[in-house]
Amino acid sequence: MREIGIPHPRLPLPPAGEADEPATFLAWLGEAIPMVEHLGIEAMRRDGDTLEWRLALAPSLNDKGTGFGGALTAQTTLLGWCWTTLWLRRHGYDRDVVVAEAGQRFLAPVTGDYRLVCLPEAEEGIERLAERLESRGKGRIALVQQLWWGDTLCLEARGDYAVLPAR
């Protein structure tokens, strides 16, 4: 049981050059952030600079039988946090990440299970983040999240994620 004001222990970094095992990371995430178990995340995969979740709609239904905007917004924000955290871990950084700014546009109702994808907003975003971490010990990256139900883009979100200095 999590306690207010008490940080959850960090997941140990994977061996150098290796990526996190998705199941291990998702299990840790569910312990660290209790609401995760209620989001309907069924799978997570990385493809290059893209992080994708597959989600069930049932846990996020609204009174109209479609996706609840607040739940979908929380999912896009958390996916961006996971993208940043996993990128840092893959590059050997054990750092805290916070969302600095987030916004979204709802384009169509979500009426079935869906997928969320997250990627850097700009091609040079990753390079700038790496440079700032090296020179300043902290950094920031802008990410875009898209929610797809089949071939329909239902939600597009954007967030700035700040990487805090080592503690």
Side-chain angles (χ1 to χ4, degrees):
M1 179 81 153
R2 291 293 319 278
E3 292 185 40
I4 296 170
I6 307 297
H8 189 73
R10 289 185 180 175
L11 185 63
L13 288 174
E18 291 185 28
D20 281 284
E21 182 64 38
T24 302
F25 182 78
L26 284 175
W28 172 85
L29 188 65
E31 294 171 5
I33 303 174
M35 73 178 266
V36 166
E37 72 180 73
H38 304 288
L39 296 181
I41 302 169
E42 296 181 338
M44 178 178 83
R45 74 178 187 94
R46 178 177 290 282
D47 183 12
D49 291 331
T50 301
L51 182 63
E52 179 178 309
W53 282 351
R54 298 248 174 211
L55 298 105
L57 177 59
S60 299
L61 285 174
N62 64 17
D63 58 320
K64 295 159 208 60
T66 62
F68 172 59
L72 304 177
T73 297
Q75 292 166 359
T76 61
T77 302
L78 182 59
L79 181 61
W81 181 90
C82 288
W83 187 101
T84 309
T85 299
L86 288 166
W87 183 90
L88 289 166
R89 292 175 56 74
R90 199 168 66 238
H91 291 87
Y93 291 100
D94 189 15
R95 301 288 181 81
D96 286 326
V97 175
V98 296
V99 61
E101 184 179 339
Q104 63 280 329
R105 290 180 335 138
F106 295 90
L107 305 168
V110 181
T111 57
D113 294 351
Y114 54 97
R115 64 189 171 96
L116 275 173
V117 296
C118 180
L119 62 153
E121 182 178 60
E123 281 184 37
E124 65 277 358
I126 294 173
E127 184 178 309
R128 276 189 297 195
L129 175 59
E131 288 171 0
R132 288 184 181 142
L133 287 169
E134 279 300 310
S135 66
R136 299 181 188 170
K138 61 183 181 176
R140 195 171 175 140
I141 188 164
L143 300 171
V144 174
Q145 300 88 24
Q146 296 177 326
L147 187 156
W148 295 89
W149 173 61
D151 293 331
T152 304
L153 177 60
C154 299
L155 166 63
E156 191 163 54
R158 181 195 176 283
D160 286 340
Y161 296 83
V163 178
L164 304 180
R167 45 175 160 142

